[in-house]
Amino acid sequence: MKAIENTTIPADALTDLEHALYLHTTGQRDLGFEKRVGEQTEKIRQEILAEHGVLNVAVDLVREGRDEE
């Protein structure tokens, strides 16, 4: 399979994704990696919360799905 160059996803994010997939497929854990990614995720969550407030998009999507039937 020919590799496709990706310029839209940062290289460090792709590296983390590959490592996460490796850990998942091999059943291994990397506590340092889990902690670092968890901290990054929480930081992003807090930034979104500060900028947009609580987003309840799932509720709207469920209601929209019910209305279509």
Side-chain angles (χ1 to χ4, degrees):
M1 176 183 282
K2 183 177 179 182
I4 299 173
E5 184 176 335
N6 183 335
T7 58
T8 58
I9 301 174
D12 58 335
L14 284 175
T15 301
D16 283 350
L17 177 58
E18 289 175 353
H19 187 62
L21 290 171
Y22 170 77
L23 293 172
H24 179 72
T25 57
T26 60
Q28 298 179 35
R29 293 195 66 184
D30 180 341
L31 298 179
F33 175 76
E34 291 174 22
K35 181 179 179 186
R36 181 175 58 79
V37 171
E39 289 170 351
Q40 289 174 341
T41 303
E42 180 61 21
K43 180 183 174 196
I44 293 167
R45 190 183 77 78
Q46 290 297 330
E47 289 171 0
I48 292 171
L49 184 61
E51 187 172 335
H52 301 286
V54 176
L55 303 174
N56 286 321
V57 295
V59 172
D60 293 335
L61 291 172
V62 169
R63 287 184 180 144
E64 186 177 306
R66 288 180 183 161
D67 292 341
E68 291 179 7
E69 293 181 18

